[in-house]
Amino acid sequence: MKKLLLLLVFCLIARIAMSEELKSPNEKLVMKFSVQDGGIPSYELSYKGKKVIDLSRLGLEFIGEKPSFYDNFTIVNVKNATFDETWQPVWGETSDIRNHYNEMEVTLSQRETGRNMILRFRLFDDGLGFRYEFPTQDSLTYFVIKDELTQFAMTGDHIAFWIPGDYDTQEYDYTTSRLSEIRGLMKGAITPNSSQTSFSPTGVQTALMMKTNEGLYINIHEAALINYSCMHLNLDDKNFVFQSWLTPDANGTKGHLQAPCHTPWRTIIVSDDACDILASNLTLNLNEPCKIEDTSWIKPMKYVGVWWEMITGKSEWSYTDEVAGVKIGSTDFSKVKPHGRHGATTANVKRYIDFAAQHGFDGVLAEGWNIGWEDWFGLSKDFVFDFQTPYPDFDIEEIHRYAKCKGVKMIMHHETSSSVRNYERFMDDAYRLMNRYDYPAVKSGYVGNIIPRGEKHYSQWINNHYQYAIEKAAEYKIMVNAHEAVRPTGVCRTWPNLIGNESARGTEFQAFGGSKPNHTTILPFTRLIGGPMDYTPGAFENDISKYNPNNDSWVNTTLANQLSLYVTMSGPLQMACDLPETYEKYIDAFQFIKDVALDWDESKYIEAEPGEYITVARKAKDSDDWFVGSTNGEKGRNSIINFNFLEKNRTYIATIYSDNHDAHYKTNPQAYNIRKMQVTNKSKLSQYCAPGGGMAISICPKKDK
């Protein structure tokens, strides 16, 4: 009897030792870690007593003699800790960010191999982050990943807001469906792009936004993607279990690592209020603190540029039709005839500089300034640009002089045509040229298939290139806005010179056939979870054929919707994308773009529902001014705003830019109204937002007479 009792006690102790629990600081989230039969590490997550993640396995598979790193584990040590700090971002949605979590560090040992692994869990009030860590050890130094086996087991057939899993592009419209419907909708969701590689009929990209039947909002993403492959999710649609799916290198492997090292964080943000998802700082908090000692040169910028006229087909990036194949260093553009459609001419760029100076903008972007655009795309051309030599009709010296005397900065453009080796070949010289001519920021681009051939846009090797470009730019005090690069994962906390990314379907697609009218009511829940987007809003002219008779595209928003995006999709780099002559037609509405801030002390999310609407109020940095944006989806509705975020016992003047009651993104998009009203923190507003519409409000303290 004593032996039986001792055995039962021993089994109970062993069972406890193989299961651990972690609670968030407010105790609403509970994560349970366990080692299941066969030594399989597993976890589950609950929110307010409701299961969010069912029992899900953890682990990796390596290439080599001992591939299994997902079973035969035992717990050898568990450490718990609490962390609480408040830090100040260089720029962002708030001037202060609290980083408060409870941590569990679980050390596991694999019986047969003697290899160790640490699983580090951090549970915040708004979600969970966890990663794999590989400490220094004799039995594991260099290793190659075949697959990461992290699971996210859903509790039901949730509604998901998704784009197809792809190794090369995120530029898809979002599909809203049940998880069980993804397979049947996948083919139609994959639309043409300059470079794309799908991998599964149920593969989707992160950040993935979901909503349960019980009203829980769940967001799955990753944080601090450094020296690792980008994670997608592949769905077992019979059991509703997602598994991590890494982007492979050219040789099919998914990561080459050397201990000590760790993976990016896998993140799960959870709430029963959609506003909490948007307000979450979990992704930023899981990144390392800023590594740039002097950040005084990192400044938000509002800009216009020679871009939209090329996107619409009104102008061109190239200079001539007489050169079929450019050879950098040999082709003499001074001896060829210009075709007359080149956008980035000295005269045209000066026109944009004048417009920027007149309206108080910080910068002007000029795309197509440099030689090589005649054969830049689709030819897998290595030596495609040198990022230094201008076309004959772009006088870089004169542009520099003219912009300087007007108080405007030029923004550089480095399209790489995805020839990564070529960009690194010229990177130092290109950055030095920027310093010489006082360009504070660069817009880089990675259109087309990657060179080295066989690599993908989101593989480990290419992700390391993007990071190299950011860190190299910091050496030259240059800010980076990377287009077509991997979607951000909060790295802008560590490297705040990364002031923008595209990495999603931006405004340009409105001139490529259009985007869904609710697109920008989903992006803040998905793409923007990792960092701000250079979405390039401000398209006031809906009918693109007015710029180019051969382009019948239509911008699927109202004008008021475009204004709202400067607040709901805010970032430190914002473009007014349309042509100066178009803004002159709607100069009263353009005033909001001139006034709206780029950097913030506070952000208050007022109402939100993914795919339907988002309303947010933001207080400008070091100012008493507030700005409100309400972006609406495909159905007209009234937005309800309570001004209780304003300071008590103070009166403000609100300038409201709204849709007319007959406005509609298809039939009457430019029908807007501007009015002023006096408000206090006790005021409320019910304002109609049209289909594909929205509203923008600037709020300033009332001045004493």
Side-chain angles (χ1 to χ4, degrees):
M1 186 67 179
K2 286 184 179 181
K3 288 184 178 180
L4 180 59
L5 183 60
L6 286 171
L7 181 61
L8 289 171
V9 171
F10 176 79
C11 290
L12 179 60
I13 292 172
R15 181 174 182 134
I16 293 172
M18 299 297 276
S19 179
E20 300 288 341
E21 184 175 279
L22 181 67
K23 293 183 178 180
S24 61
N26 64 9
E27 299 190 349
K28 292 181 181 179
L29 280 161
V30 178
M31 190 280 300
K32 293 182 180 180
F33 173 79
S34 60
V35 176
Q36 298 294 305
D37 291 345
I40 299 174
S42 303
Y43 77 103
E44 50 193 308
L45 182 67
S46 297
Y47 175 76
K48 292 183 179 180
K50 296 179 180 178
K51 188 67 68 67
V52 177
I53 303 291
D54 265 333
L55 190 67
S56 300
R57 66 183 295 172
L58 300 166
L60 301 100
E61 184 176 2
F62 298 153
I63 291 176
E65 294 180 2
K66 301 174 181 178
S68 168
F69 210 54
Y70 52 81
D71 59 4
N72 293 315
F73 281 106
T74 57
I75 299 175
V76 297
N77 193 22
V78 177
K79 295 180 182 178
N80 290 90
T82 296
F83 186 82
D84 194 359
E85 69 167 357
T86 299
W87 58 279
Q88 290 72 43
V90 175
W91 48 260
E93 294 190 4
T94 59
S95 57
D96 296 291
I97 294 177
R98 189 181 185 190
N99 185 13
H100 187 199
Y101 59 81
N102 290 331
E103 180 178 275
M104 178 190 296
E105 177 191 303
V106 182
T107 301
L108 300 171
S109 181
Q110 197 173 41
R111 300 186 192 97
E112 295 179 355
T113 66
R115 299 180 299 193
N116 293 332
M117 173 174 67
I118 295 172
L119 287 170
R120 190 175 302 276
F121 298 91
R122 289 181 180 173
L123 197 54
F124 302 78
D125 287 342
D126 50 349
L128 172 67
F130 62 90
R131 72 183 184 189
Y132 304 90
E133 299 180 3
F134 310 97
T136 301
Q137 53 194 301
D138 293 337
S139 54
L140 187 68
T141 303
Y142 296 95
F143 54 102
V144 181
I145 296 174
K146 181 179 180 181
D147 276 307
E148 183 186 316
L149 306 177
T150 306
Q151 289 185 342
F152 304 86
M154 299 296 102
T155 60
D157 191 10
H158 304 334
I159 296 172
F161 304 84
W162 58 275
I163 56 175
D166 198 296
Y167 299 149
D168 284 299
T169 186
Q170 295 116 1
E171 295 178 335
Y172 292 116
D173 248 325
Y174 280 86
T175 300
T176 302
S177 76
R178 294 284 179 177
L179 297 178
S180 60
E181 298 172 323
I182 290 176
R183 182 183 297 272
L185 296 171
M186 181 62 70
K187 184 177 180 180
I190 299 174
T191 50
N193 198 274
S194 62
S195 179
Q196 55 192 145
T197 309
S198 57
F199 60 84
S200 166
T202 57
V204 297
Q205 299 197 43
T206 73
L208 175 67
M209 187 69 202
M210 291 174 285
K211 184 180 181 181
T212 72
N213 290 339
E214 295 74 31
L216 280 184
Y217 298 89
I218 305 169
N219 186 283
I220 300 176
H221 193 32
E222 62 180 326
L225 174 56
I226 301 289
N227 191 29
Y228 204 75
S229 168
C230 170
M231 181 184 76
H232 306 275
L233 299 171
N234 198 37
L235 176 66
D236 171 356
D237 51 358
K238 293 183 178 179
N239 298 299
F240 305 128
V241 176
F242 286 105
Q243 181 169 302
S244 58
W245 188 283
L246 303 182
T247 305
D249 291 324
N251 61 3
T253 59
K254 297 186 176 181
H256 290 248
L257 301 179
Q258 177 185 350
C261 60
H262 55 74
T263 69
W265 297 92
R266 280 61 189 100
T267 64
I268 307 166
I269 304 173
V270 187
S271 182
D272 49 14
D273 185 344
C275 289
D276 293 340
I277 306 294
L278 299 174
S280 173
N281 288 308
L282 182 148
T283 309
L284 289 174
N285 279 330
L286 287 169
N287 277 266
E288 295 296 317
C290 180
K291 291 188 177 182
I292 301 174
E293 187 172 341
D294 173 22
T295 60
S296 60
W297 52 274
I298 301 174
K299 299 180 184 299
M301 295 187 73
K302 193 181 297 179
Y303 72 104
V304 294
V306 184
W307 176 73
W308 191 238
E309 58 185 84
M310 280 91 82
I311 292 294
T312 59
K314 181 178 185 293
S315 302
E316 292 187 18
W317 287 272
S318 65
Y319 174 77
T320 182
D321 291 330
E322 292 187 353
V323 177
V326 176
K327 287 197 172 183
I328 303 295
S330 298
T331 302
D332 187 350
F333 283 91
S334 68
K335 296 181 179 179
V336 299
K337 180 182 178 181
H339 55 43
R341 301 182 300 277
H342 186 216
T345 66
T346 301
N348 196 33
V349 173
K350 281 186 173 182
R351 186 170 69 94
Y352 280 85
I353 292 172
D354 288 340
F355 184 79
Q358 178 186 352
H359 295 287
F361 280 65
D362 305 294
V364 171
L365 169 72
E367 293 198 8
W369 69 276
N370 57 315
I371 62 171
W373 287 90
E374 284 70 22
D375 62 348
W376 73 282
F377 175 73
L379 301 172
S380 193
K381 186 178 179 182
D382 182 8
F383 193 7
V384 57
F385 295 113
D386 70 359
F387 312 99
Q388 296 165 82
T389 308
Y391 280 119
D393 60 354
F394 184 89
D395 188 336
I396 193 169
E397 294 276 0
E398 173 60 14
I399 290 294
H400 169 60
R401 183 202 66 79
Y402 193 78
K404 185 176 182 179
C405 78
K406 292 282 187 175
V408 173
K409 300 283 189 181
M410 292 299 296
I411 296 175
M412 180 54 72
H413 183 233
H414 289 165
E415 175 54 58
T416 69
S417 192
S418 286
S419 183
V420 172
R421 182 179 70 164
N422 187 58
Y423 192 27
E424 293 186 0
R425 178 188 291 140
F426 289 107
M427 190 173 287
D428 281 285
D429 287 340
Y431 286 165
R432 278 192 284 266
L433 183 81
M434 289 180 62
N435 285 168
R436 177 183 173 187
Y437 291 109
D438 197 23
Y439 285 70
V442 59
K443 174 184 176 181
S444 57
Y446 296 87
V447 176
N449 294 329
I450 292 286
I451 302 173
R453 298 171 187 91
E455 288 290 342
K456 304 301 179 185
H457 278 77
Y458 314 138
S459 63
Q460 180 190 27
W461 195 89
I462 303 300
N463 290 339
N464 288 348
H465 160 78
Y466 303 139
Q467 189 63 32
Y468 174 79
I470 295 166
E471 295 184 26
K472 177 63 71 172
E475 294 177 18
Y476 290 89
K477 296 187 176 181
I478 288 171
M479 299 179 288
V480 174
N481 168 28
H483 282 229
E484 293 88 32
V486 70
R487 76 283 188 275
T489 57
V491 173
C492 57
R493 177 189 180 184
T494 313
W495 298 96
N497 64 317
L498 179 61
I499 58 169
N501 283 93
E502 184 189 37
S503 308
R505 188 182 181 95
T507 297
E508 63 188 354
F509 279 84
Q510 298 284 14
F512 300 161
S515 296
K516 294 178 181 178
N518 72 339
H519 185 56
T520 51
T521 64
I522 298 175
L523 281 174
F525 287 99
T526 52
R527 161 61 186 77
L528 272 65
I529 291 295
M533 179 178 177
D534 183 32
Y535 186 72
T536 64
F540 279 15
E541 177 53 67
N542 296 76
D543 186 357
I544 302 303
S545 68
K546 290 183 179 180
Y547 296 151
N548 175 10
N550 297 317
N551 187 342
D552 61 359
S553 298
W554 185 269
V555 178
N556 289 319
T557 74
T558 69
L559 191 149
N561 175 286
Q562 289 290 313
L563 298 181
S564 75
L565 301 178
Y566 290 91
V567 187
T568 59
M569 294 183 60
S570 179
L573 183 73
Q574 289 282 15
M575 186 183 198
C577 75
D578 220 324
L579 309 188
E581 53 267 37
T582 297
Y583 287 133
E584 295 290 353
K585 295 178 184 177
Y586 305 97
I587 201 68
D588 55 349
F590 185 65
Q591 186 64 43
F592 182 81
I593 301 178
K594 293 170 60 175
D595 293 341
V596 68
L598 301 174
D599 199 11
W600 312 98
D601 274 335
E602 297 180 57
S603 292
K604 306 288 185 182
Y605 286 92
I606 298 170
E607 55 179 2
E609 187 63 35
E612 296 186 24
Y613 53 86
I614 296 170
T615 305
V616 61
R618 305 191 196 272
K619 183 176 180 290
K621 179 70 71 67
D622 299 325
S623 170
D624 292 326
D625 296 345
W626 285 80
F627 295 88
V628 177
S630 184
T631 302
N632 195 42
E634 197 160 6
K635 298 178 181 178
R637 63 179 295 275
N638 278 2
S639 177
I640 309 299
I641 297 175
N642 188 329
F643 290 90
N644 57 7
F645 52 83
L646 297 175
E647 186 179 334
K648 292 181 180 179
N649 302 316
R650 198 170 188 184
T651 302
Y652 297 78
I653 301 299
T655 305
I656 303 168
Y657 302 77
S658 62
D659 293 314
N660 281 351
H661 278 281
D662 60 347
H664 191 284
Y665 73 92
K666 274 295 187 187
T667 58
N668 200 14
Q670 293 161 329
Y672 64 91
N673 177 268
I674 303 173
R675 72 186 193 278
K676 294 182 183 291
M677 63 181 291
Q678 191 168 283
V679 296
T680 69
N681 77 314
K682 296 181 180 179
S683 301
K684 293 183 179 180
L685 173 69
S686 176
Q687 179 62 54
Y688 176 71
C689 295
M695 164 184 55
I697 309 175
S698 61
I699 307 172
C700 304
K702 184 179 180 181
K703 297 179 180 179
D704 296 329
K705 292 183 179 179

